Amino acid sequence: MSADIPFSREFDAPAGQVEQITPLVRRIVAPNPSPFTFTGTCTYIIGHRRVAILDPGPDLPAHIDALLHAVKGEEVSHIIATHTHRDHSPAAAPLKAATGARTVGAGPHEAARPLHIGEVNRLDASVDTDFNPDLTLLHGDTITGPGWTLSAIATPGHTANHLAFALAEEGLLFSGDHVMAWATSIVAPPDGAMGDYIRSLEILGHRDEQLYLPGHGGPVQNAPSFVKHYLDHRMAREAAILRGLDRNASTIQELVRGIYIGLDPRLVDAASLTVLAHLEHLVSEERVFTEGDPSITGHYRLIR
C-alpha cells in the first residue's frame, strides 16, 4: 500500500523564489499547485554562467519572469523537458524566445499506445503537443556545460517520452515525475504504460545515485531504497486488483471503490486510469482476461 512508502510532504519552498539546493543546482517552484502537482512544478537551473534550465514548467508569466530574473547575466544554453505534460514543458517556448537556448527532450509527445475504438483520452488536457525539441536525446546521450554533465536515462511509463537526467559531477538524478518524495506517480493510458513504468523503476533501482530531485516536492533521499518501496507499492497494487477480482469485482469502478479507501474525489479519474494501466499489464501477462482491448468500461476476470 502507498502508506508503506516513506513519503516526505514537508516542503515549504515558496513559489518564485530562487533556492540554491546543491553547489550546482538552483530551484524555483512554479505557482501551479494542485492535487496532481503538489505545491507546483520544480524548475531547476544547473550550473553557473553558462547554464541549463530543466523542466521549465507551465507557461505562466510570473514563473517565466522569475526564471529570467534568476539567470540574468548568465547564458542559457539548454532548456530541457523531462516529458511533455503542461506542467513541465510549455514554458520552454517563451524561455527560448528570450534566451536563444536550444530546447531538449526525448521528442514531441507520443502516447504509449494508440487510442482504442471509442476511447477518449481523459487526461488529454494535460498533454503539451506543441513541444518539439531542437535536440532529441536517446538513452545515454549527454549534454554539457562548464562544470556540469547531464546524461539522459530513458524512463518511459508516466509518459512514453519521459527522461530522467543524471548530473555526474554531483552524483544526483533529476527524476521528473517518475519518482517523487511526496506521492506516487500517475500512470494513465494511453499516454502511460504500467509495464514500461515498472521496467524503468527497475533500471533506476540499479543505479548509484542516492539523491533525486523530482518534478514536484522535495528531494528523494536514499533513492535506491525509495525506488524499492515504489516497486513494492506497484506489486501490492496489482495484488489488490487480483484480490478484488477474486472477490467478484469485475469493473474498474468496483476495483477503485474497494482499493482507494477515502480517496479525494478529484483523483478518482486518475485512480481509475492507474487501475486500467495495471489491468493492461496483467492482461499482457495473461493473468487477467477481458473481451477485446482492456478499457475503462471493460469487464475483467482472473485467469485461473
Side-chain angles (χ1 to χ4, degrees):
M1 302 294 289
S2 60
D4 296 328
I5 301 176
F7 289 127
S8 174
R9 296 188 175 94
E10 294 182 5
F11 185 60
D12 58 359
Q17 293 191 16
V18 184
E19 292 187 88
Q20 190 83 43
I21 53 176
T22 75
L24 281 174
V25 180
R26 289 165 276 173
R27 179 184 61 212
I28 299 179
V29 177
N32 62 327
S34 79
F36 298 98
T37 61
F38 195 34
T39 65
T41 301
C42 295
T43 298
Y44 298 99
I45 301 167
I46 300 147
H48 303 283
R49 297 182 303 280
R50 187 169 184 263
V51 304
I53 295 175
L54 186 140
D55 274 347
D59 187 358
L60 297 175
H63 185 55
I64 293 163
D65 288 348
L67 286 168
L68 291 174
H69 185 264
V71 299
K72 188 175 180 180
E74 298 180 291
E75 176 190 356
V76 181
S77 59
H78 300 87
I79 301 166
I80 306 161
T82 59
H83 64 292
T84 46
H85 277 162
R86 288 190 178 276
D87 55 329
H88 283 262
S89 53
L95 287 173
K96 175 182 176 177
T99 65
R102 300 177 77 190
T103 56
V104 181
H109 190 81
E110 180 182 1
R113 61 159 174 79
L115 282 172
H116 300 322
I117 294 174
E119 183 181 23
V120 175
N121 184 354
R122 293 189 173 193
L123 297 184
D124 190 55
S126 70
V127 171
D128 178 10
T129 57
D130 294 328
F131 183 81
N132 191 359
D134 300 316
L135 177 62
T136 298
L137 297 185
L138 300 175
H139 181 81
D141 287 345
T142 61
I143 55 176
T144 62
W148 55 266
T149 307
L150 289 169
S151 299
I153 304 157
T155 47
H158 177 65
T159 62
N161 66 351
H162 195 287
L163 293 174
F165 289 88
L167 178 59
E169 288 78 6
E170 294 192 328
L172 61 82
L173 184 136
F174 297 96
S175 57
D177 280 4
H178 197 75
V179 178
M180 300 176 289
W182 73 282
T184 55
S185 180
I186 293 171
V187 181
D191 296 325
M194 189 58 68
D196 290 343
Y197 183 77
I198 290 170
R199 285 187 288 273
S200 295
L201 283 177
E202 291 170 344
I203 288 169
L204 292 187
H206 286 95
R207 294 184 61 88
D208 293 332
E209 291 89 1
Q210 296 294 312
L211 177 69
Y212 291 178
L213 299 179
H216 308 278
V220 176
Q221 308 285 350
N222 303 314
S225 175
F226 195 85
V227 168
K228 177 63 164 54
H229 284 291
Y230 251 48
L231 278 165
D232 289 345
H233 166 70
R234 288 300 170 193
M235 297 303 101
R237 184 66 78 223
E238 290 200 347
I241 290 169
L242 294 172
R243 284 196 304 273
L245 294 173
D246 190 46
R247 295 168 182 166
N248 297 320
S250 65
T251 67
I252 287 176
Q253 183 182 30
E254 291 169 341
L255 289 166
V256 169
R257 194 161 51 239
I259 294 170
Y260 292 87
I261 308 301
L263 180 67
D264 184 331
R266 294 173 295 178
L267 300 178
V268 168
D269 275 356
S272 299
L273 288 168
T274 298
V275 171
L276 173 60
H278 274 294
L279 286 166
E280 287 186 342
H281 185 226
L282 291 166
V283 168
S284 74
E285 292 189 331
E286 298 183 346
R287 300 168 70 190
V288 169
F289 175 81
T290 186
E291 291 283 354
D293 294 317
S295 72
I296 202 76
T297 58
H299 286 74
Y300 300 86
R301 64 174 173 80
L302 288 178
I303 296 176
R304 300 181 186 276

